[in-house]
Amino acid sequence: MIGKKTGALLLAMVLVAGSMAACGNSEGSGSGTTATEGNTEAADTSADAGESTADGSTEAASDSNASGGDAAASGTYNVTWDDMEDIIVVYPSIGAIPTGLQEVEDAINEITEAEINTHVTLNMIEVGNYDQQMNLMISSGEPVDLMITLPGGTTALSSMTSQKQLMDITDLLSEYAPEALAGVGDVIKGTQLDGGTYAFPAYRSFSSAIYINMRTDVLEDLGLVEKAENMTSFSEFEEIL
């Protein structure tokens, strides 16, 4: 069916993002477009991804032409979810692979299996072996539906797009994830190349991993909210303190 697997991919992307940890950085692509690669979820590197989408589109168009009038009249749609789809998500672990990964996978599948009849399999690889393992998986044709690109090396976004290893998800994002797309705003440009979007960025700081947290109610009582929001140096932070 049209969009079944691709729609599931995008939902899984949002669900899995909360369980992932990867370093962030920015790297220029070969065409001059800046690609923000740290912690981006790149969609569908499986060899048959394009065929699945094409086949689904053709099938859905035929179903629509055959029964569109009846569906409109009855308020139902000619969509069945008889077969469970499988999505394989590959991402790196910074350090040893943590315990509890199966519990995370089970919690994701409680949602995806019930809502979109899709089973998600998490495949975590230690970051030191990530480039090598991903290269082996892709070259051998192992299915990889969703992955994280790294700031450099062969799993960098610019490297993988130049090798035609990633699927253009521009239209899929607009159709299946408009809210997520609006949420990241212009940050999505960091994953675009030659008019196509090949990954989805994590919405996070790309300039620093250091944060200062202050209680809003205290700042309001002291009349320092505006000063805190516009703080640009530690000396200004000291003044607030």
Side-chain angles (χ1 to χ4, degrees), residues 27 29 32-37 157 173 181 184-201:
E27 175 183 318
S29 70
T33 301
T34 300
T36 304
E37 296 179 348
L157 182 63
L173 286 173
L181 195 58
V184 297
D186 288 342
V187 177
I188 194 67
K189 294 179 180 178
T191 63
Q192 294 175 337
L193 180 68
D194 296 333
T197 304
Y198 295 90
F200 191 84

Side-chain angles (χ1 to χ4, degrees), residues 63-76:
D63 291 344
S64 175
N65 291 336
S67 59
D70 294 339
S74 64
T76 60

Side-chain angles (χ1 to χ4, degrees), residues 7-101:
L9 272 171
L10 293 168
L11 177 58
M13 180 186 298
V14 176
L15 293 170
V16 173
S19 66
M20 296 179 176
C23 53
N25 204 340
S26 297
E27 175 183 318
S29 70
S31 67
T33 301
T34 300
T36 304
E37 296 179 348
N39 206 18
T40 57
E41 290 88 7
D44 214 323
T45 61
S46 61
D48 62 347
E51 295 175 5
S52 297
T53 304
D55 292 341
S57 299
T58 301
E59 180 181 318
S62 299
D63 291 344
S64 175
N65 291 336
S67 59
D70 294 339
S74 64
T76 60
Y77 298 91
N78 189 24
V79 176
T80 59
W81 299 87
D82 296 333
D83 299 320
M84 181 74 71
E85 287 286 352
D86 291 304
I87 290 177
I88 298 175
V89 181
V90 185
Y91 60 105
S93 169
I94 308 302
I97 296 176
T99 59
L101 185 62

Side-chain angles (χ1 to χ4, degrees), residues 103-136:
E103 286 80 0
V104 173
E105 181 179 303
D106 291 342
I108 291 172
N109 282 310
E110 283 184 15
I111 300 172
T112 59
E113 290 182 1
E115 296 292 334
I116 53 177
N117 212 37
T118 300
H119 180 84
V120 178
T121 299
L122 301 181
N123 182 0
M124 184 180 280
I125 301 172
E126 290 190 10
V127 68
N129 300 322
Y130 191 68
D131 271 0
Q132 181 182 19
Q133 290 298 315
M134 285 304 308
N135 286 335
L136 289 173

